Amino acid sequence: MVARYEEVARSLARRIEDATYPVGSQLPPEVELASAYAVSRATVRSALDSLERLGMVSRRRRIGTRVEAVRPTTGYARTVTTMNELVQYSTETRRSVLGQREVVADADLASLLGCEPGRPWVHLRMLRLDEVGGLDEQRPLCHTDVYLDPDVALVVGDRMARPDGLINEIVEQCTGRMTVRVDQRIRACSLSADLADVLRAEIGSPALQIVRRYVERGGDVAQVTVSVHPADRFEFTVSMERAGG
């Protein structure tokens, strides 16, 4: 279910896009928006916070909220530190599968995936798409290579074609194989020509690569994903506390 503040943010984004609130204009005061949408002022503030993070509006005390851009100028900022937050991320985006084939891991791929060379996989290529602020145009947030154990892929079948949810959720539902831990490795990279094309970004521009290994009870790994996010479309945040503090 979409949170109420997200519904308000999407509605306001649509009204900015259709020039009901043109660039340079002021949005109505929070109290008027709260009344118009039949929500609390706190909900309106959360909606405006979302639009501000996207660069579509700016907010100043005693001045109000000014429209700055018709479309988002910043990336999709999302804190993803738990498996529950991965699920939340999947509910706010859509998946588009680009292709599927069988591969055998050579030395380079095995090193990336953390498996033995010669291991067979079913390889899916997909885009994760974001309907930012309720805009009709979908834009790619990231490109993901999904590697599934062939036996798992056989059971899952064409369920991967559904646009929502996590691949891992589908695997668990179809096979009963439960993930108990996700090992994650993050590094900076630059976009290759083929990824830049599908992500609508500049060739060689900075990006973030996230490799996730889904570990089952007993240590088996039947799924690995390699996601590449353009630098301006994803933010990974980790909070650290001093032990005993």
Side-chain angles (χ1 to χ4, degrees), residues 65-113:
T65 303
R66 183 179 187 272
V67 178
E68 301 291 348
V70 173
R71 299 184 185 280
T73 60
T74 61
Y76 183 90
R78 166 59 59 189
T79 300
V80 180
T81 58
T82 69
M83 290 183 67
N84 285 342
E85 287 168 343
L86 273 178
V87 173
Q88 179 65 18
Y89 175 66
S90 75
T91 66
E92 297 174 354
T93 61
R94 290 292 179 267
R95 179 175 58 250
S96 175
V97 176
L98 303 179
Q100 177 176 323
R101 65 190 180 109
E102 296 181 0
V103 299
V104 175
D106 59 16
D108 289 341
L109 182 58
S111 176
L112 178 66
L113 302 184

Side-chain angles (χ1 to χ4, degrees), residues 60-202:
R60 299 288 186 274
R61 291 190 63 183
R62 300 187 181 88
I63 296 176
T65 303
R66 183 179 187 272
V67 178
E68 301 291 348
V70 173
R71 299 184 185 280
T73 60
T74 61
Y76 183 90
R78 166 59 59 189
T79 300
V80 180
T81 58
T82 69
M83 290 183 67
N84 285 342
E85 287 168 343
L86 273 178
V87 173
Q88 179 65 18
Y89 175 66
S90 75
T91 66
E92 297 174 354
T93 61
R94 290 292 179 267
R95 179 175 58 250
S96 175
V97 176
L98 303 179
Q100 177 176 323
R101 65 190 180 109
E102 296 181 0
V103 299
V104 175
D106 59 16
D108 289 341
L109 182 58
S111 176
L112 178 66
L113 302 184
C115 69
E116 293 294 324
R119 176 171 178 175
W121 295 94
V122 172
H123 173 211
L124 295 91
R125 294 180 63 235
M126 72 179 209
L127 289 177
R128 182 66 71 173
L129 303 168
D130 180 25
E131 297 176 288
V132 178
L135 300 176
D136 291 335
E137 178 183 346
Q138 292 181 322
R139 65 175 188 148
L141 286 175
C142 73
H143 176 277
T144 299
D145 291 299
V146 180
Y147 295 89
L148 295 177
D149 182 277
D151 291 339
V152 169
L154 182 63
V155 175
V156 170
D158 61 4
R159 289 283 302 278
M160 295 299 179
R162 56 183 274 190
D164 57 343
L166 287 177
I167 298 290
N168 183 62
E169 286 183 313
I170 298 173
V171 169
E172 290 185 344
Q173 292 167 4
C174 292
T175 69
R177 299 175 64 154
M178 302 298 294
T179 296
V180 297
R181 188 180 79 247
V182 178
D183 292 337
Q184 187 165 256
R185 186 169 74 250
I186 304 172
R187 73 176 185 91
C189 64
S190 59
L191 290 180
S192 61
D194 60 329
L195 288 185
D197 181 53
V198 297
L199 290 169
R200 304 179 206 163
E202 294 292 327

Side-chain angles (χ1 to χ4, degrees), residues 23-73:
V23 173
S25 69
Q26 297 286 118
L27 291 185
E30 289 180 3
V31 64
E32 291 185 19
L33 291 173
S35 176
Y37 286 101
V39 297
S40 68
R41 291 186 66 178
T43 297
V44 169
R45 290 190 198 102
S46 295
L48 295 177
D49 285 344
S50 295
L51 295 179
E52 188 173 30
R53 285 194 298 269
L54 293 170
M56 297 181 71
V57 303
S58 62
R59 302 165 73 193
R60 299 288 186 274
R61 291 190 63 183
R62 300 187 181 88
I63 296 176
T65 303
R66 183 179 187 272
V67 178
E68 301 291 348
V70 173
R71 299 184 185 280
T73 60

